[in-house]
Amino acid sequence: MAEGGTLFLDEIGDIHLSLQAKLLRVLQERNFERVGGVKPISVDVRIITATNRDLKDEVDKGTFREDLYYRFNVLHIHLPPLRERPDDIPMLTEHFISKFAKLLNRPKLKISGDALRYLTGLPWEGNVRELENTIERAAILCNDDVIQSGDVHPDLVNGEAAA
């Protein structure tokens, strides 16, 4: 289905060694056989991978194939975690508010300054997905069209920790 396009493989660092060998063969030979098939199918795809692991460390530990690592590591883009990019949080928050405002049919939905400041100070261990889930939950929970601090963190009431 990705013929002539791009195939995105997320969390590539989690795939089993046996699957890594099969994937390497496809990348080297640029073809594969369907399960139960007898005729090779040629492929022309660009592969983009992502992982939260340090693949070089995984190679050193023997859990990721070195040849596959070098096959993928043509262009490496390091994206720091969200907690190291607090300046991105307002833009991402606005994007997610817009997304969920449409999905929930709440066109006037916005966020208070206090709630945005609160979000900017969080560690975001789950990165952008955690922020997206937080905004979705807040959009569902907020009582009016302004997301408040208590909406982005259910344990907060009027910006103060609940007892």
Side-chain angles (χ1 to χ4, degrees):
M1 290 176 64
E3 176 66 24
T6 302
L7 179 62
F8 176 63
L9 302 174
D10 197 9
E11 297 302 344
I12 195 68
D14 292 341
I15 67 171
H16 193 271
L17 279 169
S18 63
L19 186 56
Q20 291 177 33
K22 293 176 183 179
L23 182 56
L24 181 62
R25 187 184 66 74
V26 171
L27 294 173
Q28 289 173 335
E29 298 176 17
R30 307 204 54 82
N31 68 48
F32 67 96
E33 288 182 19
R34 287 190 178 135
V35 174
V38 292
K39 181 178 160 188
I41 300 170
S42 294
V43 291
D44 175 25
V45 296
R46 172 185 25 226
I47 306 288
I48 296 176
T49 63
T51 185
N52 63 358
R53 297 177 186 227
D54 182 332
L55 289 184
K56 188 63 175 146
D57 286 347
E58 298 298 317
V59 168
D60 293 343
K61 289 191 286 188
T63 58
F64 199 85
R65 293 179 60 110
E66 185 174 30
D67 46 3
L68 185 58
Y69 169 77
Y70 286 112
R71 176 67 66 171
F72 283 145
N73 200 24
V74 173
L75 176 64
H76 178 90
I77 300 171
H78 173 72
L79 183 61
L82 186 57
R83 66 185 163 275
E84 294 176 15
R85 302 178 286 125
D87 292 345
D88 290 354
I89 292 172
M91 175 193 60
L92 289 166
T93 298
E94 287 303 321
H95 167 74
F96 294 135
I97 287 173
S98 176
K99 173 183 174 178
F100 294 116
K102 289 177 187 155
L103 285 172
L104 299 169
N105 195 26
R106 298 184 74 179
K108 295 179 181 180
L109 190 63
K110 57 185 176 183
I111 190 165
S112 73
D114 286 343
L116 188 57
R117 280 188 291 282
Y118 174 75
L119 292 175
T120 303
L122 292 176
W124 299 113
E125 295 299 323
N127 271 309
V128 176
R129 286 187 190 118
E130 182 183 5
L131 176 61
E132 181 178 18
N133 291 343
T134 298
I135 298 302
E136 181 178 16
R137 181 178 58 246
I140 292 168
L141 292 177
C142 73
N143 292 325
D144 55 23
D145 288 329
V146 180
I147 295 172
Q148 302 293 339
S149 296
D151 300 320
V152 294
H153 191 292
D155 295 336
L156 288 183
V157 179
N158 299 324
E160 305 258 329

